[in-house]
Amino acid sequence: MIRRILMYIILILGAFMLQNNFFAAVHWIDITPNLLLIVTFEFGFLRGSMHGMIIGFFCGLLSDFFFGTNVGYYALIYTLIGYANGSVGTLFYNEFLNMPTLLCILSDLLLGLYVYITSFLIGGATNLWHYMLHVILPEIVYTMLICLLTYKPLRALDRWVEGLSKRSAKEFV
Amino acid sequence: MNNNESKFQPRHLLLILCIVCVVLIILSSISSSVNSAVRGVLNDVLTPMQSGFNKVGSFVSDEAEDLARLSAIEEDYKALTDELAYLREQNTRYQLQEIELSKYRDLLGMKEEYEQYPTIGAHVIGENSSNWNHTVLIDRGASDGIEVNMNVIAQGGLAGIVTSVTAGSSTVRLITDHDSQVGAMALITQDTCIVRGDLEVYQEGRLILEKINKDAKISDDYKIVTSNKSSIYLPGILIGYAKDIDIDSNSLTKSGYLVPVVDFSHLDTVLVITQLKENGQ
């Protein structure tokens, strides 16, 4: 369990910094893929809603601490996304790549709509189509691409850590 | 597969986490100190790491840009050497004029554009990647004398304002953020207006310029600076230039666009003005 927690911490911090510090310095990336979302939903999908929502909570909290105006704003939606993917993941656990891709798209869409509705629509920006085309959709495309690339390595990492934990559990017994 | 989830139902945790989030949202919207207080704990560990990631990013970005540009540079080089000779000759002439100008400035008692404000330099080490908000993280904080509501300038123009501070870093909300509103005025006519960030308009590199009195004489390419009346922004900082000013449908006000002087996609270093507007809050 400790190994797993350690892996989560490293992945969350890594994704956060890659996204907010590394990509931010690379000028020709206009729209950044949402790596925190990938970590949240992939482990939600692979390990169930408990893992998904705890990871989501911390991913969101980290974004809130450093960039948000209201602490808890992103934490709330990431928690929900983690939970939702966990619930779906336990229903449809399989080897196909299509399911995570679909979930990735839905999760990012949900996140985009959440931000749009709670902080833009209320502020009077009623032109959903524009935001859809210029913010939400590009982010979904990039996030989906990264998801396709990272799904298998992350799953392998997950199984490796699981294997390590089981082995050490046996030794302990 | 999921063996350790049987004792405690996930939906109970979901409920707890959601309540925690909602409580945090409410608390932090009441008092901004909640954000800073909690962030302070994480800050000491994470800021140096973030700074490191940012440096690596800058390096990779610069290297890649260099490679892409190499062939174009060869051609430019030839053209530029010719231009250089011409400019050198012109420059000497301007230098003479500059000396003359500073003499006149002294006579009139005018000051240089930003010299009256004490500033401190800072590096941008992080950028909000949510694609929705335009906030950046800088590597100076309370220990360097940074406080909330200090104005941030870059490349000779207003970039944003400090919204939260910890010991070693601060968050700056850029004027392009959709939450940003700056009380401004036209430099020449002193007509007041509001500069507002808007994600939609910013796609074209612009900001919204609004609430201009219908009789105000603001037209294209007028210099827009921060207003004396603004409660948090220091007066006289250049923001940008007016564009496409038109009368509103209510016939009472005019509005249009503002082209900022700051290139927000290449924001690497900024200057924080360490003086707060006195009547500010």
Side-chain angles (χ1 to χ4, degrees), chain A residues 102-124:
Chain A
L102 185 69
L103 285 177
C104 169
I105 294 170
L106 288 178
S107 302
D108 212 357
L109 187 67
L110 185 70
L111 179 71
L113 289 175
Y114 169 77
V115 179
Y116 172 74
I117 291 168
T118 53
S119 56
F120 282 77
L121 193 63
I122 288 170

Side-chain angles (χ1 to χ4, degrees), chain A residues 1 13 16-22 24-28 30-32 47-51 53-54 57 61-62 64-68 70-76 79-80 83 90 112 115-116 119-120 127 130-131 134-136 139, chain B residues 1-2 4-5 8 10-11 13-14 17-18 20-21 24-25 28-29 35 38-39 42-43 46 49-50 53-54 56-58 60-61 64-65 125-133 135-137 171 178 198-200 203 265-266 268:
Chain A
M1 203 60 193
L13 288 181
F16 178 74
M17 285 175 194
L18 209 57
Q19 183 175 340
N20 289 293
N21 303 101
F22 181 81
V26 183
H27 298 311
W28 26 267
D30 276 345
I31 295 276
T32 17
R47 290 280 145 208
S49 39
M50 205 66 133
H51 290 242
M53 98 184 114
I54 292 171
F57 181 70
L61 218 52
L62 211 54
D64 286 329
F65 284 149
F66 282 95
F67 297 103
N70 284 333
V71 181
Y73 177 77
Y74 279 112
L76 182 63
T79 305
L80 290 171
Y83 178 80
T90 44
V115 179
Y116 172 74
S119 56
F120 282 77
N127 191 356
H130 177 274
Y131 292 99
H134 289 94
V135 187
I136 300 177
E139 188 184 300
Chain B
M1 221 30 156
N2 306 311
N4 47 13
E5 287 177 17
F8 188 74
R11 63 170 181 276
L13 185 65
L14 180 72
L17 289 181
C18 286
V20 169
C21 289
L24 279 173
I25 292 173
S28 61
S29 62
N35 192 357
V38 191
R39 224 180 84 180
L42 284 170
N43 212 67
L46 292 188
M49 284 166 75
Q50 294 195 68
F53 265 84
N54 194 253
V56 177
S58 299
V60 172
S61 169
E65 277 181 356
I125 56 165
E127 197 175 298
N128 189 344
S129 66
S130 75
N131 302 323
W132 291 98
N133 292 93
T135 48
V136 296
L137 200 65
T171 305
H178 82 291
D198 186 291
L199 211 59
E200 199 175 334
Q203 302 281 343
S265 57
H266 290 84
D268 296 327

